[in-house]
Structures are given as structure tokens and as C-alpha cells.
Amino acid sequence: MTARRRLACLAAILLLAAAAMAAPPDATPSPPLPVPDLSHSVEELGARLRQIDRSLADPSLVAHLERDSAAAARRTAERWAETEELLQRQLRPSALDSLESSWRAVRSDLDGTAAEIDRRAAERDADLASLTALQASWSRTLEVTRAAGAPAEVVDRVEHALASIEATRTAVAQRRAGLLLFQDAMGRAFQTCDDAQARIDELRASVLQRALERQQPPLWQAGATAWGEAAASRGGLGFMWADVVAYAAVYRGGLAFSGLVIIAMLLALSRVARGVPGRGSAAAPLRTPAASAILLGILLSRPWRPNPPFALQQLILGVVDLAAVVVLRPLLDRRQVPLLYGLGALVLLSLGISLVDLTPRLEQVALCAILAATAALVVRGAATLRPPFATPTRVPRLWAAARALASAFGWVLAGSAVAAALGYLDLAAFVGIGLLQVLFAGVGLLAVRLTLEDLIDIAVARRPLAALHTVARHRAGLVRFVARALDVGAVALWVWILLLHFDALRPVSDGAAALLEARLQIGELDLPLSRVFAFLVVGLVAVIATRLIGAVLEQDVYARMTLPRGVPYALSTLTRYGLLLVGLLLALATLGLDLTRITVLVSALGLGLGFGMQDVMNNFVSGLIVLFERPVQVGDAIEIGDVAGEIRRIGIRSSTVRTAQGAEVIVPNAKIIAERVTNWTLSDHHRRIDLEVSVSAAADAERVIALLTDVARADRRVAAAPPPETLLVKLGEPMADYQMRFWTESRDWVRVRSDIAVAVQRALRAAASGGAAGPA
């Protein structure tokens, strides 16, 4: 059957399907159009049909889709033929990686074309549905006009509208049938990609199974013809270059965005580097802004470069290799620099070898040389491994573990070199080369981590972050917390790369998923561990967020506002309780508990709560009253019963009062509300101090009063208004009693009273020695 006949058959099928959908048995028939509004309806119908016709009037679009789908199908078939030929050989793991990457590039190319075809098909489906509804409505209108005996002109106009709808509907159905052919071609191409991936997975499993089999004789048993054996082909550089070109055509926007990100990072880092001269080794990554920008740009733009082909991936790794060497070079001591250069050169050599086809014997020699040299460098480097700073590391155990791990890696690489010399090429390539690349991935992550820490250290020391009181007061702790978070993130990412490279990510992730799906059963409670883990994570995030928001409110928001005393503390307390409550509700929601059961449980405990927790609820409500009404506030000096001291905290159930002797007394909030409380600092700290002084009755009372008043007035801590005064309160023999009254704003009023008493004693003695007054 020719393509034209198939197209006609598909169009007929679509028309029949649309007709069947137009009047389903159970559907309510479309209402007829109002005859008086017929002219307006005809105009609207014409506009709608012209809009659909315009969307169909671009033949270049159809030709473009047809060309793209045909090219995709042709490229898929050609690649499948090449793949079948390659799969007949015993490919190395790196060759399989290249082959799998090429199919990912093919599929990426298909995704763009398939998405465009699906979008156009969805538009045509929507047009068909709209035209079917219009046809049903105008058919009913035709029946009504004929039954009502409408003029022939009206009937002709309705019939003409129906004919126009039918013509447009036929054109849309034909276009939809053509798109259906394109979708069918793309579906077959996708199926070919899936088949190729399945074959590659099968072959990869067999490669891993034969890793302990010898592929070549030992290096010292090489025959004269061994050097001329056929290469384990990866498809050739032309094969890989075609994948790169196809990938760049599909993701040219993502690649361009990656370049822009790198340029933006370079400009930003160059500007920052110029602003921090002489900061020492801690700012060393900023001495190499180009390399740092490349590392950060490649990392940040990774989502816009999904599944790059093998050749492009190796090229990116080579660039990262060079950039990491440049960034870490200023941070290492003189003994470590040659090791870094040597390791970077070996990584570049291994990446280059993976892109070319070598004979098995040449591959064996190359593997032996690379792995032996890498093992020597890693073992040597493990002995001299030091933190990349002049100052001692914050985590000595971490670096001790890193040295032990590097030493173990070195001996594993040495064993891989021996395996390559014995002819076990698959084992040597899988373990040795994989370990080499994973090891240098850790070096790259270390360079990124140091660069990020340096940027954060500079960011918190500059505006706008430095203007925040929270950042200024907790800068060291904030930088330390971020550094630890970067350590955890870098180690987690490195472990992920390690598992991914050695094909252990899926088993580990499946095991973790199985562990999280294990169920915790306690009586009627049956929960998966994943929900328990989510509950703990949400609760921890809620606690951290509550503390962070509370610190920002207290140190940055309230400090820049004029609020009555006690209001900031009340708002902070209520905010903290509210956030914790929201966090608790979210954490309970992650558990997936049946809320009806919780309601029943709360109802069952309601009676017990009502009787057994009366005091608790009373204190809780009293605490809210204290926070809102603010009869006492944090920092107030109060007396309640036999307790006198300063309020240090107002909690949800009780408040803490610190006495002058240093004891902390827990006072229930209900007691503050119900009993009489003396608050010495409710409105202000203005306090009157009474000091009793006894002077000889023979002394001149007026001069004594003037002397005592002058002593009080001379102390700068005594308020000028109301002015201090001295009263004669008791006249007798042999002593007369005077009372000094003065006011102070000082919170340490006891110290003020003592200092003035000492000054009074000194003044009276001085006056007595001069004969002015008798001794106190």
C-alpha cells in the first residue's frame, strides 16, 4: 500500500471516528443556534474556520516535520546497523559507554522532533473536537429552520455553513492523518533506541561477568603478530563527532547558556578577586578566577546539558581536570604540586585513550603504564597528604581517613596495573581507570568546595549580608556551618559518582528504597520507614527554620523598628510557637496518619485532659495573657510573694526569675496572673531610693540637710528630676534621724545606694573633723 493510500485510509478512519463522537447514543444533542442570531453566528463561524485554515496553510511546516521524522528514522536505522556490527565483537566497558552515549544522543535528537509532532497533533485533535461540536450544532439548526419553514435564503446559508465546516474538517483530518504517520515513524525510532539500550545492557552485564577472564596473554608473552590485532572499535572519531553535532543541534540553547554562565562567573570572580588583595591562602581560589569560573559554571549549568554524548562528556571532564589543577595549585605545598600535575596529566591521557581505537596489545601497554604511574603517585601523595591550607584543619580525623583511603586506592590501582600486565584488560579498565577518574572527580569536587567556601566567607564580610546583625554577630558560626554543609554535600556527591561509575548505584538505591519501604508495626500502628524518616526530616527542618527566623526577627527586624518594650519578645515567642505548631502538623502529615483516628483518640483523652491537665492549661493560657497584656516583661525586677528578682524568661507554662543570690526560681504563669505582683520596672527604671542617716542631735539640722542633699546631687547616677531631698524624720537624744530621698534610672540601684551611703559617711566625717557636725 502506497503512502497516499495509507493517508487516505487514515483520514477516512478519523472522519468515521469523529462522526461517531459527534452523536454518541447517550449524549444530549447539541442545541440549535437561535435563528435571529444566525447572521452573527455565521460571522463567528467564518472567523473560526479561517483561523483553522491559516494554521493548516503552511506547507513548509509539514515538509519540515516530514523531513525531520524521515531523517530521524534513517539515522536510527543506520545507527542500529552500525550497532549490530559492533555488538558482534567483545567490546570493552569504555566502548560500551561510548556506544550507549551515542544512543542517548540519538534519543535526544528524537525527543525534540517527537515533541513538536505531538504538539501539532494535539492542536489538530482539538480542532477536530471543535469542528465536530460545531457540525452537530449547525445540523440541529438546519433541522429547526427546515421544520419552521424558514426562507430558502436562510436554509441555504445554514447548508453553506455546514459545507464549510465539512470541508475544513476534512482538511484537518487529512493533516491529522499525516501527523499520525509521523508519530508512527517516531514510535518505531524510539522502539529501536529502547532495543539498542536493552542489547547494550545485556552486553554490559556479560562484560562484568567475564571481568575475571583473561582477554590477552601476559605482556611478556606477546607474539610478533599481537601488535597487529584488530582494535576493539568504539565507532571511530567520526562516529563520536556525529553524536556531538547531533547533540549540539538539539541542546544548542543549553550549551550557549552554559557558556554565558561561565562568562558571568568569570566577570563576577574577577571583580571579587580585585577587591580582596592580600587575603592570604584562604582566598587562593580567587587568584585563579578563570579556572574557578569554569568549575562553577560547568557545575551550575549541568541541568541544561542532560546526557551529553561520550566524546563531549570526556571533553568536559578534561576541562574540569585542567581547571581543578589550576585552582588547587596555589593551595598545596611544594611537595604536593608535582603529584597534582602528574595525576592531572594521567587523567587527561586516560580520557584521550578512551576516544581512540587501540589494538588490544597497545591498550594493554597503555593500561599498564597509566595505572602503574597513577598507583605510584597516589601512594606517594597519601603519605604527604595535608589540608589545602597553611592553618591546621578543623577536622583532623577527616584528613586521616582521607589519607587512609588514598593509600588504599593506590594499592588497588597497583593491583589493576598487575591485572593489565597479566592480560585481564576488562578488569583493569573497569577497576583501575574507573578508580582513577573517580579519584580525580574527588579532586575536582575539592576545588569546587574550596572556591564556594571562599566566596561565602567573602560574601558574609561584605554588604548586603554584612549589614545584617544576625550575620555580623554569628559570622564565624555561619561560615563554619556552611563549610560543614559543603563537606557533607561534596562527600555525598563523590560517593554518588563512585557508585555510578562502578554500576553500583542502582543496587544501592534499590536497597535503600527497600529499606525505606520496610514497615514499622507497633500494635495498630503500621508505617513505612520512609514516612518516619520524612517525619524526622520535616521536624528537624522546622526546628532549624524556627531558630533562624527567630534570630533574624530579634537581631535585624525588631532592632530597626520602634516597638514598646516587651512586644518584640512576645512576637518572637508567638512566632516560635506558631512555626513549631506548623512544623508539627506538616511532620504529622508526612506520616500519613488517619486523622479520624487522631480525632477519636483526642476525644477519648478529652475528659482526662480536662481534669488531669487543668493546671497545665491554666498556666498555658496565663502565659499567653502575660505575653499579650505584658504586666511583666523579660528584664523586669519583680516581687511576687517571697520571691524577688529579675525575669529572665516567659515560657509556655512558667516563667523564670533570677534572684539577687543567683538562684533561678520557676514561677507558674497562673501565679503571676492571680496573685499580687510588684513590678519595679513596668513603665521605666525610675526608682526612688530611701537612705536612713543618724546624726548627732547637737548638729545643725539645716547644715546636715544641705550636706546630705549635696552628696546625693553630686552622684551622676542620681536623677535631677525630681531633685534629691533630705528630711528630718525623728528628733531625739542623743541622735537625730534623717531620711535621704533620691531617684535613679540605674538598674543596679543597690550599688547606687551603697555608693551614696559611703559618700555620706565620708562627708560627715570630714564635716565632723572641721567641727561642723557630729559623727553619724
Side-chain angles (χ1 to χ4, degrees), residues 17-30 132 136:
M21 290 188 298
D26 300 333
T28 302
S30 301
T132 300

Side-chain angles (χ1 to χ4, degrees), residues 202-259:
E202 293 175 2
L203 192 57
R204 189 187 299 278
S206 65
V207 167
L208 295 178
Q209 291 173 1
R210 70 169 190 266
L212 299 179
E213 299 177 3
R214 177 178 289 172
Q215 289 78 39
Q216 286 291 311
L219 195 60
W220 53 86
Q221 295 181 4
T225 60
W227 299 96
E229 294 177 353
S233 174
R234 298 178 178 84
L237 290 177
F239 190 86
M240 298 180 184
W241 177 250
D243 293 337
V244 174
V245 172
Y247 182 86
V250 176
Y251 292 102
R252 54 182 177 272
L255 295 175
F257 179 77
S258 299

Side-chain angles (χ1 to χ4, degrees), residues 296 299 394 398 445-446 448-457 478-494:
L296 296 178
L299 179 65
R394 296 184 300 269
L398 180 62
L445 289 175
L446 177 62
V448 173
R449 177 238 180 273
L450 295 176
T451 302
L452 290 176
E453 182 182 7
D454 185 63
L455 291 176
I456 292 171
D457 189 22
L478 181 62
V479 172
R480 185 166 54 251
F481 173 78
V482 172
R484 291 177 180 175
L486 290 175
D487 287 336
V488 173
V491 171
L493 185 56
W494 183 80

Side-chain angles (χ1 to χ4, degrees), residues 614-693:
Q614 285 185 9
D615 292 340
V616 175
M617 294 304 298
N618 184 20
N619 288 320
F620 173 73
V621 175
S622 299
L624 295 179
I625 294 175
V626 169
L627 289 174
F628 279 107
E629 187 179 343
R630 304 195 309 279
V632 295
Q633 303 167 23
V634 173
D636 282 352
I638 68 167
E639 294 180 12
I640 178 171
D642 58 349
V643 177
E646 179 183 342
I647 291 186
R648 291 296 181 87
R649 186 185 69 88
I650 300 176
I652 191 173
R653 187 196 66 83
S654 61
S655 300
T656 303
V657 178
R658 185 176 181 85
T659 65
Q661 292 78 22
E664 292 185 340
V665 182
I666 309 300
V667 180
N669 290 329
K671 191 173 183 180
I672 298 177
I673 296 298
E675 297 187 7
R676 193 177 94 176
V677 178
T678 301
N679 191 339
W680 289 95
T681 56
L682 176 60
S683 302
D684 51 43
H685 293 280
H686 207 53
R687 181 188 184 106
R688 196 185 81 175
I689 301 176
D690 296 340
L691 180 61
E692 308 292 337
V693 180

Side-chain angles (χ1 to χ4, degrees), residues 338-348 374 377-378 436 439-440 443:
L339 301 178
L340 178 66
Y341 283 163
L343 188 60
L346 290 172
V347 171
L348 287 178
T374 305
L377 288 176
V378 172
L436 169 61
L439 184 63
F440 208 85
V443 175

Side-chain angles (χ1 to χ4, degrees), residues 476-727:
L478 181 62
V479 172
R480 185 166 54 251
F481 173 78
V482 172
R484 291 177 180 175
L486 290 175
D487 287 336
V488 173
V491 171
L493 185 56
W494 183 80
V495 172
W496 180 82
I497 293 174
L498 176 68
L499 296 175
L500 180 65
H501 201 89
F502 288 104
D503 293 331
L505 182 61
R506 182 173 297 177
V508 171
S509 60
D510 291 342
L515 177 63
L516 291 177
E517 289 302 320
R519 308 194 74 82
L520 177 65
Q521 296 180 347
I522 304 177
E524 296 293 331
L525 184 65
D526 184 9
L527 291 174
L529 289 181
S530 59
R531 293 186 176 179
V532 177
F533 179 74
F535 173 81
L536 296 176
V537 170
V538 172
L540 179 62
V541 171
V543 172
I544 295 176
T546 300
R547 292 183 177 180
L548 180 61
I549 294 174
V552 173
L553 287 176
E554 293 176 1
Q555 299 178 15
D556 282 293
V557 177
Y558 300 148
R560 306 174 192 276
M561 301 173 64
T562 303
L563 296 174
R565 193 171 66 89
V567 172
Y569 183 85
L571 293 177
S572 296
T573 303
L574 295 177
T575 302
R576 183 169 64 251
Y577 292 159
L579 291 175
L580 290 176
L581 178 60
V582 172
L584 177 61
L585 294 178
L586 292 176
L588 290 176
T590 59
L591 288 177
L593 296 178
D594 188 358
L595 296 181
T596 57
R597 294 187 178 183
I598 297 179
T599 304
V600 173
L601 179 63
V602 172
S603 300
L605 294 177
L607 186 60
L609 291 173
F611 287 100
M613 299 185 68
Q614 285 185 9
D615 292 340
V616 175
M617 294 304 298
N618 184 20
N619 288 320
F620 173 73
V621 175
S622 299
L624 295 179
I625 294 175
V626 169
L627 289 174
F628 279 107
E629 187 179 343
R630 304 195 309 279
V632 295
Q633 303 167 23
V634 173
D636 282 352
I638 68 167
E639 294 180 12
I640 178 171
D642 58 349
V643 177
E646 179 183 342
I647 291 186
R648 291 296 181 87
R649 186 185 69 88
I650 300 176
I652 191 173
R653 187 196 66 83
S654 61
S655 300
T656 303
V657 178
R658 185 176 181 85
T659 65
Q661 292 78 22
E664 292 185 340
V665 182
I666 309 300
V667 180
N669 290 329
K671 191 173 183 180
I672 298 177
I673 296 298
E675 297 187 7
R676 193 177 94 176
V677 178
T678 301
N679 191 339
W680 289 95
T681 56
L682 176 60
S683 302
D684 51 43
H685 293 280
H686 207 53
R687 181 188 184 106
R688 196 185 81 175
I689 301 176
D690 296 340
L691 180 61
E692 308 292 337
V693 180
S694 296
V695 181
S696 173
D700 186 351
E702 293 182 354
R703 296 188 62 185
V704 171
I705 291 175
L707 176 66
L708 297 181
T709 304
D710 290 341
V711 170
R713 189 180 292 112
D715 195 305
R716 60 183 178 82
R717 292 169 294 180
V718 175
E725 62 179 352
T726 303
L727 303 175

